[in-house]
Amino acid sequence: AEALPEIQRLIFEGEPIKAHKLFGRKLMGYPVEQMKYQSLANLHLFFPETDEVSGYKRWLDLNTGITGVSYTVNNVTYKREVISSEPDQVILVRFTASKAGSISFRAQLRGCRNIAHSNYGTDYFTMDGVDQDGLMINGKSADYLGIEGKLRYKTQLKAIPEGGKMQVAEDILIIENADAVTLCLVAATNFVNYKDVSADQEERVAAYLDKIKGRSHEEMFSAAVKDYQKYFDRAYLNLPESDNSYLPTDKRIAANAENPDPSLASLCYNFARYVLISSSRPGTQPANLQGIWNEDMNPAWDSKYTTNINTEMNYWPAGSGNLWECMEPLQTMVSELRDQGTQVAKEHYGASGWVFHQNTDLWRVAAPMDGPCWGTFTVGGAWLCNQLYDHYLFTQDRDYLEEIYPLLEGAVRFFLDYLVEDPEGKWLVTNPSTSPENPPKGPGYEYFFDEVTGFYYFTTICYGSSIDIQILSDLFANFMEMGATLGQDPILLGRAKEARERLSPPKIGKDGTLQEWAEDMEQLEDKHRHFSHLYGLYPGNVISA
């Protein structure tokens, strides 16, 4: 916090690169990166070689949550269906064929390792057979940036053939001439919460397998579908169809530009609900950058929780899709972020309350991450608080409102301390600030070699970005509304009202568009992909149509 006044002075006086470098040295979290969300294992299936495959189809049934493929070889039609069952905590893979005795394959569970870190490793995972009907992997998470990997995990496969022969040869499962086969995959780690990794992954896996013992595939598939439809059938959106509506999805999207297909929008709405139902249930982690479907050990953006828009976007279908339970993991994460966020507010900014920036991981890191271009987004926690309040507007659940009140209160207290007067002494602004990932084009902004990231880059550091001010306008308004509803501290509500009235207002730039920054600047990247200053229009409630 001792460096903060100098950083603010440099920004106000038009020396953003010097401010960027000082922020990088003094205010970044350490290490400057977070732990990666990684893949547990890959299930490889090897089928007999064949000369020709015809009639290949692949699908996802949004009404049931079942995905599948079918194809024909030598006049035999093969079908494979997959579903993930929340009630039984099992992934089911069902193989059938149009002719008895036609299903033969080898299966292997293969562990995953981050070869970007090393071509070799010790104790990452072991692969073994289980009796004569299964496979398993035991492993640990990778060490990274001097931080020991603390997760221990196990995944186990159990095969249930109908007819034919089955055997296990070391770590290979062999099925020959079966009529049908069901594969059951279960997995667990030792993770309890961000402070506790004392669970026994082997006990958890054994319990999951014991629960499905003796169950038929019909029963397990039915339970999974029934559970999924409990959420999916709550809402529907039907829009007019066109000739394109029955094309394969890739061709349908391509054709939409020339021949509008309104029902494509309803497909997107339904797919969004499927994704959220399938990746964010009470007691789980929230949906991250890749949902839960990350297949890489060195994933894009570490497959974390990026909160300068991505995490929030994941949850936009929750209210309109009547998926209130799916918000629970997000609420839990925000509550947990307040832990380190309170320390960061004090140590980095000399402020009360709590703050969270643009990225976090399983361990609920709240400090600025990745570099000053991204880490200066101090309103990540405030945006998530606004999203939690939006959820209340759908549910009108007073008990829920009381649960989230301390979260918004802490965020408000931080910004009451953090906001400073602009150079003219008229408005309140954030400093430092950023408009996510978009570099301004103005005095003092140019490409330079950044010692934090180690490559030639730009800075996005500024003061009073439009998205910051819009998010805080919502935060203070939401806090005032909930405080009045709950009869909370009138003095603090009054301070929030006063601060909101002094927030820098939206401005129109010389080109006739809404300014993205407090100063009237262009953008250094002319085709930048973010539209952060339109937060106030959507999902925010600052600019009306």
Side-chain angles (χ1 to χ4, degrees), residues 409-425:
E409 178 190 20
V412 165
R413 288 189 183 277
F414 171 79
F415 285 102
L416 290 176
D417 288 346
Y418 183 64
L419 288 166
V420 293
E421 291 185 339
D422 67 6
E424 297 177 359

Side-chain angles (χ1 to χ4, degrees), residues 53-97:
V53 173
S54 63
Y56 185 89
K57 295 179 182 179
R58 183 168 71 106
W59 68 87
L60 166 65
D61 186 339
L62 293 176
N63 289 311
T64 62
I66 297 175
T67 181
V69 297
S70 65
Y71 52 89
T72 299
V73 177
N74 296 329
N75 296 318
V76 179
T77 298
Y78 296 87
K79 186 176 181 182
R80 182 164 71 249
E81 294 179 297
V82 185
I83 193 167
S84 178
S85 172
E86 201 281 339
D88 288 324
Q89 289 295 299
V90 60
I91 295 173
L92 299 166
V93 186
R94 175 72 176 170
F95 302 81
T96 55

Side-chain angles (χ1 to χ4, degrees), residues 160-178:
I160 306 172
E162 298 168 31
K165 298 178 180 179
M166 175 173 61
Q167 63 174 309
V168 172
E170 296 187 358
D171 57 4
I172 304 289
L173 173 75
I174 302 168
I175 300 285
E176 296 178 295
N177 305 122

